[in-house]
Structure formats: C-alpha cells, structure tokens
Amino acid sequence: MRVILAQPRGFCAGVDRAIAIAEGALKLYEPPVYVRHEIVHNRRVVENLKAKGVKFVEEIEQIPDGAIAVFSAHGVSKGVENNASIRNLQTIDATCPLVSKVHKQGQRYADKGYDVILIGHENHPEVEGTLGQIPGPVFLVSDVEDVEALEVRDPEKVAYVTQTTLSVDDTQNVIRALRKRFPNIVGPDTKDICYATQNRQAAVRALAAQVDLILVVGAQNSSNSNRLCEVGNDSGVPSYLVEDPSKIDPVWLQGGETVGITAGASTPEELVEELIDKLREYADLEISTMEGVVENVHFSLPVFLDKVAEA
C-alpha cells in the first residue's frame, strides 16, 4: 500500500499557542488551572493536559472564585469575560489571534452602524464567542438558504465576517448569495479565513488527485477536520474521519492501493503516526510526503508567560 501524507497537516500556530499557554500556566501557578471548554478540539490533547493538572469546565460558574481560568483557542463572548471578572478569576486568554481578528472586524463594522452577518455553524464555540463579541444586530447564516431569510435594518448598511474554520468553497457560495441580495455589502476577502484552514484544504484537493481514499485524523467535534473530509469527498475521493486510529474500519481500505492521510489543525502528529502503525497491520507500506506549503507562522505568547514557556 502506498501512503501519501498531506503537506501541511496537523497543528497550526493557534493550536500550538493555546497548548503552550495552558502548559505555561501550569508552570507559573499551582495546579489546578481551569480551562473553559476544550482548549482545542482533540481528546488526546485534552487528556494529556488533564494528566498535568488542567481541569476542563463548560461554564465559568464551575470555576472556584479567584482561580486561574484559561479561555480556549475558540474565543469567548463578552458575557463570559464579564462573568469571569465578577468571579474575580485570574484569566489568561488563549484565543487564536486569527479568531480575535474576526472579533475586531465585526466590532469595527458594528461601530460604523452596520448590521453584521456571521457566516458560521450554530453552536460552535468559536461562533458563540464571536456572536457575543460584536455589539448591535448580528445574524448567523450557515448556508445559502439562510441568506434568503435575512431581515436587516438597512440593506445598504450590511457587513459580514466568517468563522475561521469553514470550507473556503462553502464560504464563497454564501458570500456570493449575500452580494446578490445586498449589492453594497462589505466584508473581508475569503483569504482572511484562517491560513491553516486554507492550506490544509488546498493540500487535500491536491492529495485527492493522487490517491484512492483519504483518511482525515481528527476529532468528531473538530470543525476544520470535518471540513477536510467534505473537501475530499467533494473532490470525488472517499474520505473518512478517524478520531481513534486503532478503530479504523478495514472495509474503507478495500481496493485502496494508494491512501492519503491528513490531519486537522488540532490533531497532534502522534495520532498520524499511530494511524500509520495501524495500516501496517493490513499491508506493507510505502510512505511519502507530498510537496506543499511549509508553514512558518508563529504567534507570540502573553508576555508574562513567554519566559515560563521556554523554561
């Protein structure tokens, strides 16, 4: 069996930063350190941090007054920030800088009197945080059909922002529908969608031209991992999400002489290696890595954690 590894795949700079913040907080303060929501959407990452002294909660109210609280990479609403302040929590913000950029874009539009439309998936933590960061009217749309149902105050004063982990193609379809309905709508270029999302999706499209099937290593609740599966399937290649490499379905491999492997932006490389080890139980492997973008993006840590993280 030939195995071709996508390039790039796995951890992005925002995920690296969020994990480094959680680990730096553990070094700087006595455990436990509390994290609201999963720091990133991957069970292995969460379990590793739990073993080191991180406690994960869903709501701020579950954190003892005065404790250390880390906000996940997905970002949080103003309401969560205010609740943390009322509880006298020592907060550390691990929001991905690219998510923070979307917050700022939406806030600028709202300050100028625009109704803001957020393209994203309902109930996703990033979307909930963004909705709660933008003042004034904010409307969530997930697909073209949602656009038709919109009722805004002034069709001439409409702006949009996007969830960072969406499919670029799906976002373009919604943006086209928005521009058709609101010709004067303003918003960022689709290139402002997370660089890691774009790079990994482009890699899957290139991979699809070379393989019989694609295995995407990532969590069921990882938006960007699910989008990679969609991109593979939309490219005409059967694509499957693998959360636990030890439990892949051998039926997927039937007739698959060449298998492509990629990983979501919150997936550690060790899970890719475990998947390769599992595939070795079915066939001898010839492994190669496709040519692709080599990412050198790095997001700095909060100043007070910088030296601690290096220790």
Side-chain angles (χ1 to χ4, degrees), residues 74-78 95 98-107 116-119 124-135 138 140 161-164:
H74 311 96
V76 299
S77 67
K78 289 287 187 184
T95 301
L98 297 180
V99 174
S100 296
K101 179 181 178 181
V102 174
H103 294 174
K104 292 182 176 67
Q105 287 171 334
Q107 290 161 359
V116 179
I117 297 166
L118 170 60
I119 305 170
H124 188 277
E126 179 189 330
V127 167
E128 291 178 350
T130 302
L131 288 172
Q133 284 284 343
I134 302 172
V138 187
L140 177 63
V161 293
T162 69
Q163 179 183 340
T164 61

Side-chain angles (χ1 to χ4, degrees), residues 34 36 56-65 87 89:
Y34 292 84
R36 183 188 179 275
F56 291 90
V57 300
E58 285 304 310
E59 302 298 339
I60 287 295
E61 290 73 19
Q62 296 171 264
I63 303 176
D65 290 356
R87 301 291 302 281
L89 301 180

Side-chain angles (χ1 to χ4, degrees), residues 108-122:
R108 284 196 296 270
Y109 290 136
D111 289 344
K112 294 178 180 178
Y114 288 88
D115 282 6
V116 179
I117 297 166
L118 170 60
I119 305 170
H121 292 299
E122 189 174 11

Side-chain angles (χ1 to χ4, degrees), residues 233-256:
N233 283 313
D234 289 346
S235 299
V237 177
S239 302
Y240 304 97
L241 186 63
V242 180
E243 182 160 19
D244 184 346
S246 68
K247 297 179 181 178
I248 63 169
D249 188 342
V251 172
W252 297 346
L253 307 177
Q254 292 178 0

